[in-house]
Structures are given as C-alpha cells and as structure tokens.
Amino acid sequence: MTDAIAPLALSSVTLTLPSTAGPVNILRGVDLHVAAGERVAIIGPSGSGKSSLISVAAGLERPTSGAVNLFGQDLAKLDEDGRARLRRGRAALVFQSFHLLPNMTAEENVSAPLEIAGLPNALPTARDWLGKVGLSSRLTHYPHQLSGGEQQRVALARALAARPILLFADEPTGNLDSRNAGSVVDLMFDLLAECGAALVMVTHDPVLAERADRIVRMADGKVVA
C-alpha cells in the first residue's frame, strides 16, 4: 500500500473507554477506506463516535481492536513518537477550536510546524499561505487580536502549508457564524484542490457535507450508510 493508493484504511476498529458506570463502547467495528485525493464527510448525531473516529484514524487515540493503516503503516506497530513522525508533513488536523499558540504571531503559528518538520523556507512559506487565506496584513498579529474567522484561517494555513497528503477536519466551522463559515469552507476546498490532499471531515452541517465526494453516516459507533 502506498500514499497514492490509500492514505487511510480502518478495518474492524473498535474503541472502548472506561467510565464510572463501566466500559463504554465508542466505536463498534468501523471500516473506512479513503482514496488519494478523496474528500469524505462523516456525519451523524452527537455521541455517534465521529470525533473519536478522527482521533483513532489520526493516531491520536489507540483503538481497542482492529487495524488502522495510515500511509500504509500499521499504527499499532508505532509508539506515540513514531505516530507523530508518520504524520509530520503528511497529515494535518483542523479542529473546531483553533488551537493557535497564544504567544506566537500568525506567521509564527504557521511557520513553527514547518520548522519542526525540517522543511526549508518556513517563514516565507508561512507568509505565502497566510496570503492565500487573505491575511497578509495580519502576519504579526497574535491570536487574541484576530477574529474567530481569522483564527480559523490561520489554522487552515498552518494545516496546509506543508502540503499534506491527508487533512483531518473536526467541525472546522463549528465556532464560526454563517458568513465566516462559508468563507472558510470555500478556502478549505480551494486549497485542498491546490494541494491534492484527501480530506476526512466531521461536520453537522449538511450543506458542508454535500461538498464532499462521499458522505459516511455514523450512529451508535457504527458506519450505517
């Protein structure tokens, strides 16, 4: 399996977490394959396991059973550092909460991951991508000086500046009003097209889901359609 064939494949994945009331089955035998460049939207009611699926697929959470292959690598064979190295420069994440570092400017928030990945010209690349999302005039602003829409644009630039193979997005417009949400969505799909990256996106927004190539519906920890 290579990046060009299937950046992501989940087979019979389960996730069971402890609670005071006993074990809770979060994911129940999930199968999901994402082709190179494919845009997949994951929808379903709250508590159906959508965000947990993203965490397991990205290697942030270990499944209880089943197999997760990311870029052809079995995540079960990698420790936390190994999973981080596998993601670096190839997988990116965008969340509902922007997760910008408050003590860094916009350009520093975008350039820092590029420097960590050992990519050249980190600062010029960061400035270029902030220009792509319409923030050339906000390079030296800190997160608290930016609106919610601007912060999500910075997060999007940070995610895509390394030109990843796969983008995970968990409710990327959940904290935005409708105007800013539409703008961020348009940018995300335009930049994904430029990168050629695949997308696995959790959303409650049916309009946003319809922009994907394929919609996966979840309920009670299972893929139901």
Side-chain angles (χ1 to χ4, degrees):
M1 186 182 297
T2 67
D3 293 342
I5 295 173
L8 179 66
L10 282 69
S11 300
S12 302
V13 167
T14 70
L15 178 65
T16 302
L17 298 178
S19 76
T20 55
V24 178
N25 296 316
I26 307 296
L27 299 176
R28 305 166 182 256
V30 172
D31 295 317
L32 178 67
H33 292 248
V34 178
E38 185 181 21
R39 278 69 155 157
V40 177
I42 302 173
I43 66 173
S46 296
S48 59
K50 304 185 301 299
S51 292
S52 294
L53 178 59
I54 289 276
S55 293
V56 168
L60 303 178
E61 180 94 46
R62 282 190 177 274
T64 303
S65 65
V68 179
N69 279 268
L70 184 63
F71 310 126
Q73 295 289 314
D74 182 355
L75 294 187
K77 297 179 179 179
L78 302 175
D79 60 14
E80 185 175 351
D81 288 342
R83 296 193 301 273
R85 285 193 297 271
L86 179 63
R87 287 191 300 268
R88 190 172 298 154
R90 298 205 285 177
L93 298 99
V94 174
F95 297 99
Q96 178 175 345
S97 298
F98 316 122
H99 293 299
L100 300 179
L101 296 174
N103 61 335
M104 287 187 173
T105 63
E107 64 182 6
E108 290 168 343
N109 264 284
V110 178
S111 65
L114 300 175
E115 293 170 353
I116 292 170
L119 298 176
N121 304 313
L123 196 56
T125 299
R127 290 170 177 165
D128 178 55
W129 276 83
L130 286 167
K132 291 177 188 290
V133 300
L135 293 178
S136 292
S137 64
R138 312 288 269 171
L139 300 178
T140 58
H141 286 66
Y142 291 89
H144 73 272
Q145 297 172 314
L146 302 172
S147 69
E150 288 172 334
Q151 289 185 64
Q152 192 61 303
R153 289 182 182 206
V154 174
L156 190 58
R158 178 181 59 185
L160 294 176
R163 294 186 175 272
I165 297 166
L166 176 59
L167 175 66
F168 294 101
D170 191 354
E171 296 288 0
T173 61
N175 277 338
L176 304 179
D177 59 38
S178 58
R179 181 179 62 83
N180 279 309
S183 174
V184 166
V185 167
D186 288 342
L187 272 171
M188 183 172 70
F189 278 91
D190 287 346
L191 296 176
L192 281 169
E194 180 178 330
C195 291
L199 171 68
V200 179
M201 172 181 61
V202 164
T203 183
H204 281 100
D205 184 346
V207 175
L208 176 52
E210 288 292 339
R211 296 190 61 167
D213 301 320
R214 177 161 56 103
I215 296 175
V216 173
R217 291 178 174 83
M218 292 190 68
D220 299 322
K222 300 178 181 179
V223 172
V224 295

